[in-house]
Amino acid sequence: MIGDERRLYSEAIAATLNLVHDFDVVATVNNSREIVPTVLRLLPAVTVLGTNTTGRAGRCLADELRTAIPRCRIAVIGSSPGAPARRQEAAAPGLLSVVPDHAALPQLVNTIRALVASNNGRATAQSSAAPLDASLIRQPSCNGRSLSTREKEVLRLTAGGAPVREIAAELFLSPGTVRNVTSSAIKKLGGRNRFDAACIASKRGWL
């Protein structure tokens, strides 16, 4: 899950991470007050936060999340993660990692992988500076196997005639995330629009 007050920023990160073949961004949240309740509801493997996002009464949101969900794994992205963030990282190895926003995509991807690996009791040997293997990126395909679970859910509701906002409410997503997921599915299926993509997927028995 991505949590940041900056909608464009968070949706851009979500769209990028959704291209990684085994990643699935379940939600983007742009209101600080909604981040903790959303994490409690969806229980994502990793929550990615911007350092400008604060909790109630100005508390660090990472602290608030860890209080509500002690084993929550968090990646914090910021322009200048300072001493408090680094102290938090040192105090919560395997639970919290700090990534500067000038870092390359592979560093964020590897940070998320390391957090997930720690959750599964596995060590990760990937370097944060390792190049991103092209095989990690989903390639558009017309065979349907590359459609994510989220894409199928969105297309299923689209096939029923649901508007974007209704789909967002049904799946606990932001409308922007629904549009991103829909756009990805349209490209994979070669549809003219979201309804055409839903029709193609339905006729092929993928919904």
Side-chain angles (χ1 to χ4, degrees):
M1 192 194 89
I2 313 296
D4 195 283
E5 296 284 356
R6 299 163 293 182
R7 180 172 178 177
L8 180 61
Y9 178 88
S10 61
E11 290 187 356
I13 291 176
T16 301
L17 291 181
N18 267 325
L19 294 174
V20 181
H21 78 87
D22 55 351
F23 281 19
D24 187 12
V25 179
V26 296
T28 57
V29 182
N30 306 120
N31 184 329
S32 293
R33 295 177 182 273
E34 296 176 2
I35 290 176
V36 173
T38 303
V39 173
L40 283 167
R41 184 175 67 250
L42 299 178
L43 296 176
V46 176
T47 300
V48 179
L49 300 175
T51 51
N52 68 324
T53 306
T54 56
R56 287 185 291 274
R59 284 185 63 194
C60 174
L61 189 55
D63 277 343
E64 190 172 336
L65 270 173
R66 287 175 57 203
T67 298
I69 314 165
R71 301 301 295 173
C72 180
R73 277 154 176 79
I74 305 166
V76 178
I77 304 175
S79 55
S80 300
R86 292 297 181 186
R87 283 198 296 270
Q88 283 187 338
E89 182 179 29
L95 293 176
L96 187 146
S97 293
V98 177
V99 181
D101 63 7
H102 61 263
L105 174 61
Q107 184 168 341
L108 176 59
V109 170
N110 290 340
T111 294
I112 293 171
R113 289 196 188 286
L115 289 168
V116 173
S118 69
N119 188 37
N120 294 331
R122 301 193 306 271
T124 178
Q126 287 183 297
S127 164
S128 62
L132 185 62
D133 192 324
S135 66
L136 293 177
I137 302 298
R138 292 188 181 106
Q139 299 299 321
S141 170
C142 291
N143 61 16
R145 289 177 294 178
S146 65
L147 286 179
S148 70
T149 299
R150 183 66 74 197
E151 288 166 343
K152 291 176 182 178
E153 290 173 337
V154 169
L155 289 179
R156 176 177 54 80
L157 293 171
T158 298
V164 169
R165 290 193 176 277
E166 184 177 318
I167 294 172
E170 175 74 17
L171 300 178
F172 302 103
L173 302 173
S174 71
T177 297
V178 172
R179 294 187 187 96
N180 288 339
V181 172
T182 302
S183 177
S184 175
I186 290 171
K187 289 178 182 177
K188 290 177 181 180
L189 295 169
R192 296 185 300 274
N193 52 48
R194 68 192 187 97
F195 295 106
D196 187 38
C199 182
I200 293 171
S202 181
K203 287 180 178 179
R204 295 179 183 178
W206 298 336
L207 302 185

